[in-house]
Amino acid sequence: MPRDLAQIPEESGGSPAEQLSWPQDISHEPTLKIGEVRAMVSGEFPFLAASKIRHFENEGLITPYRTPSNQRLFSLADVERLRFILIEQRDRYAHLAQIKEMLRQLDSGAATYEHPARMHAVDGGGLAAVRPGTRLSKVELSQLVGVSIQKIESYITAGLLTPDSRGRLTAQAIDIVRYAAALEELGMPPRQLRAVHTSAHAHAVALVNMLALERARKTPLAQERVLAATGELSALLTHYYHALLMENIDMELR
């Protein structure tokens, strides 16, 4: 679980060069293939793609062992390090530069990993906490999600993302890109994802229209009721869609 980076006094001793990369108290023996790593974290991150793990390696966040045949092998410490990266991205919208700095502090012994769920984010230009209503540039979105700007532009071209007049994207684009990239990695082309996008838009219009009378009142209380109602309706619709999807998958597999 995410934890505070607590400063260690300089007199604590120990040379960073003599230390293993963080986490030091977990086995660093490379025994796991990339598919086994994905299986180990699939309960928390079911859509994690191998390409994303490789991207983290290219960014210097994880360093798997390479066999003479150039196969990647990961240790249990690598798996915990990967979980740390994914949790920071998912729960705090930390971008890769922030996470890299956090890991550098942990690796060097300049910080420790304590006090669950209260990690102090490293300053990253205001991108650590993306709130609803925030607008993101393609560069900011790329840093937050860990995909290329070209990939984001391809999703805009495919109609999966809709930039505003200034070319900026909503905070929801973070999850849209994450899940779209994971589904594409598993073989679902953007044209099929576009059909889901179109359906979501139609249902969003229907939900908003259901609340037209309440929206017309324009009082603070009415606005609160609209927000509560849209949250409840969207959650019910999501669960309904999930049930339908699982039923149809079950029928197709018979």
Side-chain angles (χ1 to χ4, degrees), residues 159-162 176 192-202:
L160 304 184
L161 296 170
T162 307
I176 292 171
Q192 291 184 10
L193 298 176
R194 171 64 182 172
V196 180
H197 178 279
T198 302
S199 177
H201 175 73

Side-chain angles (χ1 to χ4, degrees), residues 166-216:
R166 297 173 57 196
R168 300 179 78 82
L169 298 153
T170 67
Q172 287 75 26
I174 295 168
D175 282 337
I176 292 171
V177 171
R178 276 185 189 151
Y179 291 123
L183 288 165
E184 190 177 9
E185 176 77 14
L186 293 173
M188 183 171 286
R191 67 177 181 275
Q192 291 184 10
L193 298 176
R194 171 64 182 172
V196 180
H197 178 279
T198 302
S199 177
H201 175 73
H203 287 118
V205 171
L207 293 184
V208 170
N209 288 340
M210 287 171 60
L211 302 166
L213 291 177
E214 196 71 35
R215 292 179 67 216

